[in-house]
Amino acid sequence: MTDLQQERDDLIQADRHLAQGERRIADQIALIQWMTMKGYNTAVATDLLRLLEQTLALWQEHRQLILETIARHERSASRPHQDPAPGPEAP
């Protein structure tokens, strides 16, 4: 597998993680709303929500790094390959 293909596979996985993280955050928000309606203390649930949001932000940064790496690989692959300058000829 090439480095470029590995990065593309990593991007797919990062997208999956982001989607799962967004679902977890939505679920946590719904739980906090339910807990509030029932009169429960939501301090720990709110702390967990903040942690989930921070984790999601880190995953988004990681995804951006993967995109930048893919772009570098693609730019490198699209440049014409140049042969090294000829060296001195052997006698």
Side-chain angles (χ1 to χ4, degrees), residues 4 14 18 26 35-36 38 40-41 43 46 48 50 54 73 76 78:
L4 179 57
L18 285 168
M35 291 174 72
T36 300
K38 297 294 184 178
Y40 292 106
N41 181 334
T46 301
L48 177 57
R50 297 295 165 251
Q54 291 169 355
H73 281 294
S76 176
S78 68

Side-chain angles (χ1 to χ4, degrees), residues 22-70:
E22 289 168 354
R23 279 191 299 276
R24 286 186 183 118
I25 288 172
D27 290 346
Q28 190 68 14
I29 290 169
L31 176 62
I32 291 169
Q33 291 170 341
W34 179 85
M35 291 174 72
T36 300
M37 286 184 348
K38 297 294 184 178
Y40 292 106
N41 181 334
T42 61
V44 174
T46 301
D47 287 345
L48 177 57
L49 175 60
R50 297 295 165 251
L51 181 60
L52 291 169
E53 291 170 337
Q54 291 169 355
T55 301
L56 185 66
L58 290 172
W59 288 348
Q60 289 166 336
E61 290 173 19
H62 182 240
R63 183 183 188 278
Q64 184 59 40
L65 291 173
I66 294 169
L67 287 172
E68 291 168 9
T69 302
I70 289 171

Side-chain angles (χ1 to χ4, degrees), residues 2-35:
T2 67
D3 289 341
L4 179 57
Q5 185 57 48
Q6 181 62 53
E7 292 297 333
R8 287 181 176 151
D9 290 348
D10 290 347
L11 180 61
I12 291 167
Q13 184 176 18
D15 286 340
R16 262 190 245 122
H17 287 164
L18 285 168
Q20 291 169 357
E22 289 168 354
R23 279 191 299 276
R24 286 186 183 118
I25 288 172
D27 290 346
Q28 190 68 14
I29 290 169
L31 176 62
I32 291 169
Q33 291 170 341
W34 179 85
M35 291 174 72

